[in-house]
Amino acid sequence: MPVLVIEHATLADGRSDVDVVVRDGQIGAIGPGEGALVRALGANDLTQWIDAQGQLLSAPFVDAHFHMDATLSYGLPRVNDSGTLLEGIQVWGELKPDLTMQALLDRGLAYCDWAVAQGLLAIRSHVDTSDPRLLAVRAMLELKKRVAPYIDLQLVAFPQDGVLRYNPRSSDPSCSHSALDLLIQALDLGVDVVGGIPHHERTSQAGADSVRMLCELAAERGLLVDMHCDESDDPMSRHIETLAAETVRLGLQGRVNASHATSMHSMDNYYVSKLMGLLRQARLSVVANPLINITLQGRHDTYPKRRGMTRVPELMAQGITVGFGHDCVMDPWYSFGAADMLEVAMMGLHVAQMTSQQGMQQCFAAVTQHAAQILHLPHYGLKVGHPADMVLLQARSVFEALRLRPQRLMVMRRGKVLAQSSPRISTLSLPDRPSTTRFFWPA
């Protein structure tokens, strides 16, 4: 494989005029002047050169929470008119009997095309196990296999209708399995992570029981845990407390994530001060889903309306790893989206009011390095010896990337270019003004 040299790049940590040398699909060198060294040592006709022109070169984007089985199903069988979480679950339940393997694969493959074009090369997707056929599970496992050359797709066994609440015989009277049996079958088939939804069980006690049962299952199998936890405006929805306690009891520290955790937005500050210590002790990570949380939460409020997203800057200040997820794209819960994790980061920045320079960097990290940590991705990031996975953006800094949500000029995996886009340049016909603009300032 020829040597590739990317010159004059700016990195997310602020370093500028950096060269990256790629050999055999790996980063062979990174730093100022590395391109000049390649020339001095005798670059040949096979050496490829890319001038980044001071633009931002980043590790790929990572989506820490998504629902690939539901994506691009907007309007099937109908639109969620109320826009609430519960009607979304109802609409998805109406669609499930009509799902087919081919439709799930077609939508998943189309979404993964979008993801690659956006520089999104790792996704953790929850997949519904509340179906005696496990059709979505089988489809997503096949999708994972197909996209493996270009996307790391991690799957979570997610009992959408509740691992204790759902009775499979309501879907198929001949089914002799429990909802837990179906979840275990999904793991046996190759799903990677144990999921749950304790706040959707019939009672708080049943929710706590489900957390305990599912964490024990993960401990027995040596698996990671990622639960939808307290996706509610109810401040008394406190299953994250049980999740942290079970994590410590079972020695799962550093292997458990709480997704959403929106009830924390409404909790009493004194209780949260206690909760933060429990989360630190458990080394629990948290994933917020800004686009969906700001859309679904606060639906029962008049005014003032709660934003609903969990306490992102406060969690980060406590040293808790926080990632962002897209969660939904054109499905029963959210009508919009295009696999753009910078849109997710920008919404998180706004909702959490993280407008400082540090806050901007943290929101960018929530869709890159912090999300990668939550997924336990090995060898992630722009470092010597790591795979040459990277994205060149039409922006000169993290600030500009967030502000513009710019073109991904180049998306690379293992040293191979997967996607390219032309720069965004608008042509102007104005008196005494430049003939083009790229929306940079200073220009």
Side-chain angles (χ1 to χ4, degrees):
M1 184 178 290
V3 174
L4 170 68
V5 182
I6 303 171
E7 295 186 291
H8 312 304
T10 297
L11 304 186
D13 62 11
R15 285 181 287 167
S16 59
D17 202 22
V18 172
D19 302 339
V20 178
V21 180
V22 176
R23 293 186 178 91
D24 298 322
Q26 292 188 325
I27 297 174
I30 184 167
E34 291 293 341
L37 183 60
V38 170
R39 285 188 178 90
L41 292 175
N44 57 44
D45 292 340
L46 295 178
T47 304
Q48 300 177 8
W49 301 86
I50 295 175
D51 186 355
Q53 299 179 338
Q55 296 177 116
L56 183 64
L57 188 68
S58 170
F61 296 107
V62 179
D63 186 349
H65 185 107
F66 194 62
H67 292 266
M68 188 72 76
D69 50 356
T71 196
L72 307 189
S73 64
Y74 177 71
L76 299 175
R78 61 183 177 86
V79 173
N80 178 351
D81 287 328
S82 70
T84 61
L85 171 66
L86 292 180
E87 187 178 353
I89 294 173
Q90 183 179 347
V91 171
W92 174 242
E94 293 168 11
L95 176 59
K96 273 197 286 189
D98 297 326
L99 291 174
T100 66
M101 175 77 79
Q102 193 58 53
L104 287 162
L105 280 172
D106 288 346
R107 290 195 287 262
L109 287 167
Y111 185 81
C112 289
D113 293 344
W114 296 6
V116 170
Q118 299 280 26
L120 169 57
L121 301 186
I123 302 170
R124 174 180 279 183
S125 176
H126 297 250
V127 55
D128 189 359
T129 63
S130 298
D131 174 7
R133 301 172 299 167
L134 291 178
L135 183 67
V137 169
R138 298 177 197 280
M140 293 303 102
L141 286 167
E142 176 62 24
L143 179 68
K144 177 180 177 176
K145 189 187 308 179
R146 293 196 193 184
V147 303
Y150 49 92
I151 288 179
D152 291 313
L153 179 58
Q154 194 176 90
L155 298 177
V156 183
F158 173 51
Q160 172 72 79
D161 297 326
V163 73
L164 296 177
R165 180 175 184 169
Y166 174 62
N167 181 357
R169 284 179 290 281
S170 65
S171 303
D172 178 0
S174 68
C175 182
S176 60
H177 299 296
S178 68
L180 179 61
D181 292 336
L182 294 177
L183 188 147
I184 291 172
Q185 285 179 31
L187 297 175
D188 290 341
L189 288 169
V191 172
D192 309 287
V193 181
V194 176
I197 186 169
H199 57 277
H200 193 57
E201 302 290 355
R202 292 191 184 279
T203 66
S204 294
Q205 183 60 55
D209 291 343
S210 76
V211 170
R212 188 172 302 109
M213 178 172 60
L214 291 167
C215 284
E216 287 174 352
L217 176 63
E220 289 168 8
R221 291 180 170 238
L223 297 176
L224 302 176
V225 176
D226 190 339
M227 291 199 191
H228 286 60
C229 205
D230 305 324
E231 188 182 2
S232 167
D233 293 322
D234 178 6
M236 298 308 293
S237 184
R238 297 180 173 184
H239 296 293
I240 193 169
E241 176 183 74
T242 305
L243 185 60
E246 289 301 309
T247 298
V248 173
R249 180 177 74 87
L250 296 166
L252 293 171
Q253 291 95 328
R255 293 164 51 192
V256 177
N257 180 72
S259 284
H260 292 291
T262 56
S263 68
M264 199 185 299
H265 184 96
S266 302
M267 287 174 181
D268 174 80
N269 288 337
Y270 184 83
Y271 173 72
V272 172
S273 70
K274 169 199 172 186
L275 183 61
M276 290 292 187
L278 298 177
L279 300 184
R280 284 199 312 273
Q281 183 187 14
R283 302 207 308 276
L284 212 71
S285 60
V286 175
V287 171
N289 297 288
L291 292 167
I292 313 308
N293 299 154
I294 195 67
T295 303
L296 294 183
Q297 305 314 127
R299 287 280 179 166
H300 296 279
D301 294 350
T302 53
Y303 287 92
K305 277 185 180 288
R306 283 168 285 188
R307 299 176 184 219
M309 191 171 76
T310 196
R311 303 187 185 206
V312 171
E314 292 81 4
L315 287 162
M316 289 179 171
Q318 292 292 321
I320 295 164
T321 301
V322 179
F324 287 161
H326 206 312
D327 196 3
C328 305
V329 170
M330 294 184 66
D331 69 8
W333 295 273
Y334 187 65
S335 309
F336 307 101
D340 187 352
M341 295 308 294
L342 284 174
E343 181 182 14
V344 175
M346 189 60 160
M347 180 59 78
L349 183 154
H350 280 82
V351 175
Q353 300 179 333
M354 296 175 68
T355 54
S356 67
Q357 291 293 311
Q358 181 187 23
M360 293 176 197
Q361 289 289 147
Q362 289 173 320
C363 287
F364 190 82
V367 296
T368 51
Q369 67 192 65
H370 291 170
Q373 290 169 15
I374 291 169
L375 269 64
H376 291 244
L377 294 179
H379 312 302
Y380 176 85
L382 303 185
K383 297 180 180 179
V384 173
H386 282 195
D389 301 345
M390 58 191 83
V391 184
L392 180 63
L393 298 110
Q394 190 187 357
R396 301 170 299 184
S397 64
V398 165
F399 164 71
E400 234 169 40
L402 290 166
R403 181 176 70 85
L404 295 174
R405 277 88 76 204
Q407 295 284 78
R408 279 59 162 176
L409 301 174
M410 178 194 71
V411 179
M412 177 181 292
R413 180 173 167 91
R414 308 300 194 260
K416 178 183 177 182
V417 175
L418 299 180
Q420 292 177 286
S421 297
S422 300
R424 182 187 178 191
I425 302 173
S426 293
T427 302
L428 304 174
S429 298
L430 303 172
D432 303 319
R433 297 303 301 149
S435 60
T436 63
T437 184
R438 294 184 299 167
F439 304 92
F440 288 174
W441 190 260

